[in-house]
Amino acid sequence: MLGIDDLVGSLEVGKRADLVVLDDRLAVAGVMSRGRWVTEVPAPLTTVDAQ
């Protein structure tokens, strides 16, 4: 439909890859963007309790 089947849609050599790797607690363990591992990950989001 979009004509990009050769670029996206599965994890294969030569295709673009964006993915998130989670640990057993569902915390982010790694991020890949455009086929490259992101080495700087921002601090996790926190919630603020209403006072």
Side-chain angles (χ1 to χ4, degrees), residues 15 27 51:
K15 289 193 175 185
Q51 302 282 330

Side-chain angles (χ1 to χ4, degrees), residues 7-50:
L7 299 174
V8 297
S10 60
L11 294 176
E12 296 179 36
V13 174
K15 289 193 175 185
R16 297 178 185 166
D18 295 331
L19 60 97
V20 176
V21 179
L22 304 176
D23 66 14
D24 58 345
R25 296 173 304 169
L26 300 181
V28 175
V31 174
M32 181 178 278
S33 177
R34 297 184 181 207
R36 299 183 190 271
W37 288 105
V38 176
T39 57
E40 294 183 20
V41 179
L45 298 174
T46 58
T47 58
V48 177
D49 295 332

